[in-house]
Amino acid sequence: MTTNAPRPEVLRYTAFSSSPDGGNPAGVVLDATALDDGDMLAIAADLGYSESAFLTPPPKDLDGPEGRTYGIRYFSPKAEVPFCGHATVATAIALAERTGPGKLVFATRAGTVPVEVAEEDGTVRATLTSVEPHVEEIADADLAEALAALGWPAADLDPAFPPRIAFAGARHLVLAAATRARLADLSYDFARLEALMHRLDLTTVQLVWRESATVFHVRDPFPVGGVVEDPATGAAAAAFGAYAREFGLVPEDAVLTLHQGEDLGRPGRLTVTLRAGDPRVRVGGAGARIG
């Protein structure tokens, strides 16, 4: 962006809540054509949200509805990230308020992500479809380091949920707490966990507690993004859906509800949909403009 170029409009939306006071806030720039990497990082850092999204012209080979395809990039206050679910939902809702509900297609660094936006009983909801996910093991030494950084004894883990790294656009370490109290008590060594996450190329650590067969409570430390905790994490929700299905913790056809942000005073609700025969994961939720 040249010094004489006007600063683009930076919108503020929350995702996974119909209230501006809930969910996860994101910055949204609907036209980032004139911005370079430094400009986008500076805007994200100035906002201080866990991520902000920047729309660019779509690649020529991107297939989708005319006028509803975009390139999209995501920046935390510290760095660019390959994919961000909540900023995708926020951007889709911002676009739908201008061009109406329907299908959108985004070209991300992680791959093509279609989004369906619909209005239900006066609430606008967006549902993204992830890239194809996968799950991999974590070395014992790395798991021990993660638990040490969190201050979690191994005995506090739920043995039904094996620790794994899951990917559905970004990498997340999935750890399940045995109790809700363990999940609520989050006070970790920021620098130590950040170093491990950089080494393992992790975006967040997805901490989970199972309330019932299809209802979960989650928290996501995000030191690599420069924030202690992400209030609602769509990319991690997609990764967790793939993880839960792979280990038979939920049916192949399932609709899961993830509650996140309650312990931060920003309650959000993420809907994770799994379909038999389709490895991709759908993550949806409401959104609202802030201010």
Side-chain angles (χ1 to χ4, degrees):
M1 185 171 66
T2 66
T3 55
N4 295 324
R7 178 183 172 91
E9 183 180 17
V10 181
L11 306 173
R12 294 165 174 80
Y13 277 76
T14 194
F16 302 116
S17 172
S18 58
S19 167
D21 297 325
N24 197 353
V28 177
V29 176
L30 295 180
D31 184 2
T33 306
L35 303 181
D36 61 22
D37 290 14
D39 297 327
M40 289 185 267
L41 181 60
I43 290 170
D46 182 57
L47 284 172
Y49 296 151
S50 54
E51 279 103 358
S52 294
F54 301 84
L55 290 184
T56 60
K60 291 182 179 180
D61 61 349
L62 184 63
D63 186 26
E66 185 176 354
R68 297 177 70 86
T69 60
Y70 302 88
I72 189 168
R73 297 177 68 183
Y74 312 95
F75 283 80
S76 78
K78 280 192 172 183
E80 185 172 9
V81 297
F83 175 64
C84 173
H86 88 273
T88 301
V89 167
T91 302
I93 289 174
L95 286 168
E97 288 183 353
R98 289 152 180 79
T99 62
K103 184 177 180 180
L104 300 161
V105 180
F106 296 111
T108 79
R109 279 180 50 198
T112 300
V113 176
V115 181
E116 290 281 353
V117 186
E119 186 173 342
E120 303 172 4
D121 300 324
T123 298
V124 179
R125 293 178 56 85
T127 300
L128 66 87
T129 299
S130 76
V131 299
E132 189 162 337
H134 62 260
V135 178
E136 63 188 70
E137 294 190 359
I138 180 171
D140 291 344
D142 292 332
L143 173 59
E145 178 63 10
L147 293 175
L150 289 167
W152 282 26
D156 285 356
L157 296 177
D158 185 337
F161 291 72
R164 291 292 189 275
I165 294 171
F167 169 91
R171 289 162 56 86
H172 306 267
L173 172 59
V174 179
L175 299 174
T179 65
R180 182 67 178 91
R182 171 71 279 175
L183 185 68
D185 184 13
L186 181 62
S187 178
Y188 67 92
D189 186 324
F190 189 96
R192 187 172 182 179
L193 188 60
E194 180 184 21
L196 175 68
M197 291 173 68
H198 277 301
R199 183 162 60 78
L200 298 180
D201 190 27
L202 300 175
T203 297
T204 73
V205 178
Q206 173 85 328
L207 305 175
V208 182
W209 175 71
R210 185 171 204 163
E211 177 183 311
S212 68
T214 59
V215 177
F216 300 83
H217 294 254
V218 299
R219 302 185 73 173
D220 282 78
F222 188 34
V224 295
V227 296
V228 173
E229 184 176 353
D230 203 19
T233 319
F240 175 71
Y243 160 93
R245 177 173 54 193
E246 176 154 324
F247 286 100
L249 299 166
V250 297
E252 290 188 17
D253 268 314
V255 177
L256 313 178
T257 299
L258 274 58
H259 295 283
Q260 190 173 356
E262 293 175 345
D263 297 293
L264 292 173
R266 293 195 63 91
R269 180 173 177 149
L270 301 85
T271 301
V272 176
T273 303
L274 306 172
R275 296 180 182 174
D278 187 348
R280 300 172 302 169
V281 180
R282 289 156 180 83
V283 178
R289 186 162 184 174
I290 300 171

